[in-house]
Amino acid sequence: MESVWNKSRDVKEFNPIDKNVKTDVLIVGGGLAGVLCALMLDRKNIDYILVEQGKICDKTTLNTTAKITIQQGLIYSRVLDEFDLETAQLFLSANREAFDMLCRLCEETECHFEYKDNYVYSIDDGKKIEKELNALGKIGYNAGYSKCEGLPFETAGAVKFKNQAQFNPLEFVSQISEELNIYENTRVLDICDKTALTDKGKITADKIIMATHFPFINRHGFYFIKMFQHRSYVIACENAEDVDGMYVDESKKGMSFRNYKDLLFIGGGGHRTGKQGGGWQELSDFVYRHYPNANEKYRWAAQDCMTLDGIPYIGRYSKNTPNLFVATGFNKWGMVNSMLSAMLLTDLIKEKENQYEAVFSPLRTVIRPQFAVNSFEAVTSLLTPTKKRCTHLGCALKWNSQEHTWDCPCHGSRYTKNGEIIENPAVEELRINKPKK
């Protein structure tokens, strides 16, 4: 299993921190969101350090399909339903600003950047498409309608956003990160006030940004109940058609499509982490039926943090931590949301007013239907009798037979069969009773 981006990976290696240090701003986490935060702070001449437990952009960013779009599923009708017109308009405006900034940065690098139309389609529910188009009309965005003729099956219709984009994220990161103040192979174990305890020493900072995909500080913010993680799968095929655009099903169990060079990416087979899903077999069966001459070249899997209301959590970590900030819950749309996080958090670090702060605030209400679902899953897993339990909060682990890993259905931590951590929020390895020789 290897991401296609791994073949083009030429990212500079950075040294670990080997002593106690001080800085104005500490960024914990070296995915795209963390790297872009570092870039924005660097350009504002703000003193900062970024630390990453492994290699930068070696997990979530490495496994993205790298669509740059402000069209994030049928999100606008949802925001309009759950909030109000002003919030929906601010949400759109924030995404447009982040989209424009990221595209400008991409145009300054060689990263196979290209503009493509984006489509969110429905297989069998044209009313959802109509509702989204109506919502966008109220908000003030001129989207289009499409039947998605480029796909190998019929749809009930799609919402079309023109001139969205796609790129190679590892080529992009390799160029923007070279001169940044980054330290790799430095694991943050805990944060107390303005001090981060690492496996190499202590880092003292006036302000700290948590950009670790899923936040692991449990005593503040309650992210373990405000989010769950969703796993999805991708295969890249040769000798398949050029679909001339980016496509995603509005259903969580649907499929996505985009081209890269001579490859067609097909994504799908998704499920809540720790549950069962179609996985790569579902995708392989689809290719066999619809692209019989295609050859599978790469396969990989991605994991995404899903919030209660579809809007990311970007801002102050909790009410009781004024110097701690967070960027998480990108709901499968990490490219634009990473840029949005960097722009918004840079303003908050500078104590500059930002009109989007309230929209993305992690302190907003948790009274959403998904909160009850997350609570039920947590209680069920905690009460499930099993010897193998997650080191994060003790939930029962499930064996993932497709990827040969131990997965947590509560919060999405994952471990190798030998107990090493693959995905956070766990920070301690799983103790596996190895057979005696």
Side-chain angles (χ1 to χ4, degrees), residues 247-298:
Y247 302 78
V248 63
D249 195 327
E250 54 83 18
S251 170
K252 289 181 180 180
K253 294 186 177 181
M255 308 183 79
S256 69
F257 304 83
R258 69 156 282 200
N259 290 97
Y260 171 69
K261 295 184 178 180
D262 61 343
L263 299 171
L264 174 64
F265 294 178
I266 304 175
H271 56 86
R272 181 174 176 136
T273 303
K275 300 289 186 178
Q276 297 295 318
W280 290 303
Q281 187 60 52
E282 179 180 320
L283 301 181
S284 295
D285 291 345
F286 178 88
V287 170
Y288 179 79
R289 293 194 307 270
H290 295 281
Y291 299 106
N293 297 320
N295 302 312
E296 183 181 321
K297 187 73 173 178
Y298 303 93

Side-chain angles (χ1 to χ4, degrees), residues 66-68 112-114 116 164-167 245-246 258-259:
K67 305 182 188 78
I68 305 174
H112 287 88
F113 174 80
E114 55 185 338
K116 291 285 185 180
Q164 303 301 287
Q166 59 188 36
F167 72 140
M246 304 178 295
R258 69 156 282 200
N259 290 97

Side-chain angles (χ1 to χ4, degrees), residues 55-103:
K55 302 293 185 182
I56 62 168
C57 296
D58 201 32
K59 289 189 176 179
T60 304
T61 304
L62 183 64
N63 294 314
T64 180
T65 52
K67 305 182 188 78
I68 305 174
T69 177
I70 65 173
Q71 187 185 20
Q72 303 170 10
L74 302 182
I75 186 61
Y76 294 99
S77 55
R78 181 177 179 182
V79 174
L80 204 55
D81 283 346
E82 298 194 19
F83 296 92
D84 52 38
L85 180 60
E86 181 182 8
T87 300
Q89 289 173 330
L90 286 169
F91 179 80
L92 172 63
S93 177
N95 276 278
R96 294 181 80 164
E97 287 186 23
F99 174 87
D100 291 342
M101 173 62 81
L102 183 55
C103 289

